[in-house]
Amino acid sequence: MSEAFSTMFRDEHRQVRDGLLDLSTAFGEREGKRAGELLGRIAALTGPHFRYEEESMYPLLVQIFGPEYIDALIDDHDVAIAGARRLVELAGTELDDADVEEAQRLIRAILPHVSDCDGLSIMVERLDAADVAEIFAARERTLDADLDLLTWDDTVRTRPVLVA
Ligand SMILES: [Fe+2]
Ligand SMILES: [Fe+2]
């Protein structure tokens, strides 16, 4: 079960990684339209992904990491969401050097979470099988709901409170 989880999780991060690196290239080439399309694809992937992490997986990992580190991971999501909003704005404009520089800075602020988050699967291996099953079930629910990142943030997301 946890091996299946790691494989699935790695694959999702790989798609987000590739999307962000392609996005960086698109901004570098001042291809705003292409950047906008990539942002749409990344938002479609990360909406359900962030959601099952915040609704199920991250809270289950508090028993291992304690609440502070998990809270920091959710801070990373806040940074990614705010960055995505600004990147969408930038993609819709005539891109100049300063815009490209800002876009690259925003993308680089998001990238470390992709690799940090992927590393969590080594800890998921230590969760009970029932907990891993619950993460998969949460993932199914979020995929069915199919809310992109910004729609989820606008309509459903409330930051989980992990530190009492
Ligand atoms: Fe993740
Ligand atoms: Fe995450």
Side-chain angles (χ1 to χ4, degrees):
M1 177 71 95
S2 67
E3 239 173 75
F5 175 81
S6 297
T7 303
M8 172 282 287
F9 207 50
R10 172 62 61 96
D11 185 60
E12 291 190 358
H13 289 128
R14 201 173 269 132
Q15 291 181 53
V16 176
R17 173 202 67 191
D18 289 346
L20 288 169
L21 294 177
D22 289 349
L23 183 65
S24 178
T25 303
F27 273 108
E29 293 171 353
R30 289 173 175 56
E31 293 275 353
K33 186 165 174 284
R34 169 117 185 96
E37 289 163 5
L38 285 162
L39 280 161
R41 198 181 313 162
I42 294 165
L45 291 168
T46 51
H49 181 92
F50 279 28
R51 188 175 178 186
Y52 77 76
E53 287 179 344
E54 291 191 15
E55 291 184 1
S56 173
M57 178 184 160
Y58 287 3
L60 283 166
L61 286 173
V62 169
Q63 62 190 288
I64 293 180
F65 285 109
E68 286 81 10
Y69 177 65
I70 300 302
D71 210 49
L73 293 170
I74 301 170
D75 286 344
D76 288 350
H77 285 187
D78 289 344
V79 168
I81 292 165
R85 290 193 190 284
R86 178 67 183 141
L87 286 163
V88 168
E89 258 176 34
L90 287 168
T93 62
E94 201 61 54
L95 292 163
D96 62 23
D97 284 353
D99 296 330
V100 171
E101 207 176 295
E102 183 183 353
Q104 308 292 18
R105 195 159 24 81
L106 290 167
I107 294 165
R108 287 199 167 144
I110 297 168
L111 278 172
H113 183 73
V114 181
S115 39
D116 290 351
C117 189
D118 196 65
L120 300 176
S121 61
I122 196 115
M123 295 302 176
V124 171
E125 287 178 4
R126 292 297 304 263
L127 295 178
D128 291 342
D131 287 344
V132 180
E134 165 48 32
I135 299 171
F136 271 110
R139 176 174 179 267
E140 283 306 312
R141 288 196 297 273
T142 62
L143 287 170
D144 285 348
D146 196 26
L147 299 178
D148 70 75
L149 184 70
L150 301 183
T151 305
W152 166 59
D153 186 58
D154 285 337
T155 61
V156 176
R157 185 179 189 241
T158 50
R159 250 193 88 115
V161 179
L162 301 169
V163 187

